[in-house]
């Protein structure tokens, strides 16, 4: 039977949460890291990570997260596998974590690392070819597509920025958008319209992603119902991301309009003693490397908060 109160609770076991756990354990803070499944988060299902420093040959997302989990375990991070359904921050001194079985634990300080998930198209072939030509991150995977022809799905800021970035590697990038104009801010539109390696298929949606072992073609349908086949070697699905925030009191935490938690540069939210790190934070860049940094930062900020409370 575990305790019912901790100095620090870390919610989520992805890169931010595991790093927070490591720092909390090494700082000898009375803590628990709560994760509903296997630690690792979104990266567990990332085929290959080539931009995490210290691994010059690259490694699979699974291997990277296994290493981070073993590292946390080596320092006796206290990991509790249990599903949280809500958080009650009405009593700011003692924050309440409520589990699916109705049990409750409390803490003085809380670090929220619940992450975010890229939106999926939900079409045949997408899941099976994920990591085999289907990607949700241009910044992460662009170098795998050197001299290839790839498609970018979406017309928002992310799609447009990543399409531009992809042209540093790909021979050609085709943006496929469901309407006849981009949603992206005008200044970003100007950048892609000036880029000679980018072309467009308007008013069209992807209805299937096909390929024997890797992506070979997309099946498209236009807004008049005409279908066509389009050969590409990669497809970047950049149609927004959804924060994993269902269990969070968003209003109290001053979430931004998309539901990401706003913090100061030290990861402090507007609620004293509550911190947010990793992809759940409102920010521009969502990568493993900054998630880890924020996890460490959040523990230092939490430690300051705990000390100020006890003095
Ligand atoms: P977003 O602005 O929501 O754009 C998503 C795009 O995907 C839209 O063009 C949308 O089409 C399309 N889309 C959505 N669901 C789709 C589906 N099922 N099938 C096909 N297309 C679909 O998302 P985002 O680009 O990730 O940006 C999120 C927020 O972050 C935005 O506020 C953005 O400004 C901000 N951001 C800022 C920067 C920057 O300032 N440099 C960079 C990246 C992101 P419709 O247009 O038809 O709705």
């Amino acid at each position: 039977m575990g305790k019912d109160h901790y100095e620090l609770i870390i919610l989520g076991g992805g890169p931010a949460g595991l790093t927070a756990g490591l720092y909390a354990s090494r700082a000898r803070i009375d803590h628990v890291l709560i994760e509903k499944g296997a630690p690792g988060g979104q990266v567990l299902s990332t085929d290959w990570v080539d931009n995490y420093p210290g691994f010059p040959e690259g490694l699979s997302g699974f291997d990277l997260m296994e290493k981070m989990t073993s590292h946390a375990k080596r320092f006796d991070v206290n990991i509790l596998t249990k599903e949280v359904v809500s958080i009650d921050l009405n009593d700011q001194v003692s924050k309440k974590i409520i589990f699916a079985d109705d049990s409750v634990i409390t803490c003085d300080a809380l670090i929220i690392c619940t992450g975010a998930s890229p939106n999926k198209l939900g079409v045949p072939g997408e899941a099976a070819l994920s990591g085999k030509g289907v990607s949700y991150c241009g910044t992460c995977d662009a170098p795998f597509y050197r001299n290839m022809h790839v498609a970018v799905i979406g017309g928002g800021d992310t799609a447009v920025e990543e399409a531009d970035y992809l042209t540093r590697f790909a021979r050609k990038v085709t943006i496929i958008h469901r309407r006849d104009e981009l949603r992206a801010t005008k200044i970003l539109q100007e950048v892609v319209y000036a880029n000679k390696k980018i072309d467009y298929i308007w008013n069209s949606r992807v209805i299937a992603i096909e390929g024997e072992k890797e992506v070979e073609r997309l099946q498209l349908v236009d807004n008049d119902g005409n279908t066509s086949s389009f050969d590409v070697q990669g497809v970047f699905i950049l149609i927004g991301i959804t924060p994993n925030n269902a269990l969070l009191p968003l209003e109290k935490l001053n979430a931004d309009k998309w539901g990401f938690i706003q913090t100061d540069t030290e990861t402090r939210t507007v609620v004293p003693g509550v911190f947010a790190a990793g992809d759940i934070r409102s920010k521009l860049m969502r990568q493993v490397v900054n998630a880890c940094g924020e996890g460490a930062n959040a523990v230092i900020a939490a430690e300051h908060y705990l000390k100020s409370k006890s003095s």
Side-chain angles (χ1 to χ4, degrees):
M1 183 74 185
K3 303 197 309 166
D4 57 12
H5 183 86
Y6 293 85
E7 272 187 307
L8 173 66
I9 289 180
I10 300 159
L11 205 57
L18 286 171
T19 310
L22 178 66
Y23 274 68
S25 197
R26 287 171 55 90
R28 305 285 184 252
I29 298 174
D30 168 46
H31 72 279
V32 63
L33 184 162
I34 306 169
E35 166 60 56
K36 71 170 180 233
Q42 209 195 114
V43 191
L44 272 182
S45 53
T46 302
D47 191 53
W48 197 252
V49 180
D50 240 356
N51 59 356
Y52 192 75
F55 296 94
E57 313 300 332
L59 74 175
S60 71
F62 183 87
D63 286 347
L64 178 60
M65 294 325 298
E66 203 172 47
K67 283 180 193 297
M68 282 196 201
T69 306
S70 320
H71 196 167
K73 287 185 174 162
R74 185 180 140 222
F75 285 97
D76 296 324
V77 173
N78 183 20
I79 299 178
L80 173 66
T81 309
K82 211 163 168 179
E83 189 179 353
V84 175
V85 287
S86 64
I87 291 170
D88 182 343
L89 299 177
N90 288 320
D91 178 354
Q92 291 190 358
V93 176
S94 186
K95 289 105 182 150
K96 279 199 188 97
I97 309 294
I98 299 132
F99 293 105
D101 62 3
D102 287 336
S103 60
V104 174
I105 58 173
T106 56
C107 58
D108 302 319
L110 172 67
I111 302 178
I112 300 167
C113 310
T114 48
S117 315
N119 294 342
K120 310 278 192 302
L121 285 171
V123 298
E126 181 178 11
L129 293 168
S130 180
K132 300 178 181 74
V134 173
S135 170
Y136 300 90
C137 179
T139 313
C140 316
D141 295 339
F144 300 129
Y145 295 87
R146 209 174 283 273
N147 298 324
M148 296 187 193
H149 179 192
V150 301
V152 165
I153 316 302
D157 284 350
T158 305
V160 160
E161 269 193 342
E162 298 275 66
D164 187 59
Y165 183 77
L166 277 160
T167 61
R168 296 183 197 185
F169 302 91
R171 171 172 51 82
K172 185 173 169 190
V173 176
T174 302
I175 294 180
I176 301 174
H177 188 32
R178 63 184 179 182
R179 294 189 291 133
D180 62 357
E181 60 176 352
L182 297 171
R183 174 182 293 280
T185 44
K186 289 282 183 272
I187 192 158
L188 293 175
Q189 291 191 26
E190 285 164 21
V191 171
V192 282
Y193 286 140
N195 188 328
K196 298 276 181 289
K197 286 169 113 180
I198 300 178
D199 65 4
Y200 303 84
I201 297 178
W202 300 107
N203 297 311
S204 296
R205 292 165 191 266
V206 176
I207 49 173
I209 302 171
E210 296 175 348
E212 195 69 24
K213 292 194 178 109
E214 296 186 330
V215 169
E216 293 170 28
R217 76 195 79 79
L218 307 176
Q219 296 301 332
L220 306 178
V221 62
D222 70 19
N223 290 352
D224 296 322
N226 303 307
T227 55
S228 60
S229 180
F230 186 66
D231 289 353
V232 280
Q233 290 151 300
V235 55
F236 287 78
I237 299 166
L238 301 167
I239 58 171
I241 64 167
T242 301
N244 300 329
N245 62 13
L247 46 88
L248 305 175
L250 295 181
E251 216 161 291
K252 216 167 214 92
L253 285 164
N254 189 28
D256 67 16
K257 65 176 173 175
W258 300 283
F260 293 95
I261 308 304
Q262 305 189 80
T263 73
D264 67 8
T265 51
E266 301 303 334
T267 74
R268 287 183 282 247
T269 71
V270 288
V271 181
V274 180
F275 308 82
D279 284 7
I280 190 65
R281 264 188 80 219
S282 178
K283 60 178 178 177
L284 198 56
M285 181 179 134
R286 292 192 169 81
Q287 300 271 288
V288 180
V289 73
N290 64 332
C292 293
E294 291 164 24
N297 202 139
V299 172
I300 305 305
E303 203 175 11
H304 279 262
Y305 170 80
L306 292 168
K307 276 189 186 142
S308 71
K309 258 190 74 212
S310 63
S311 61

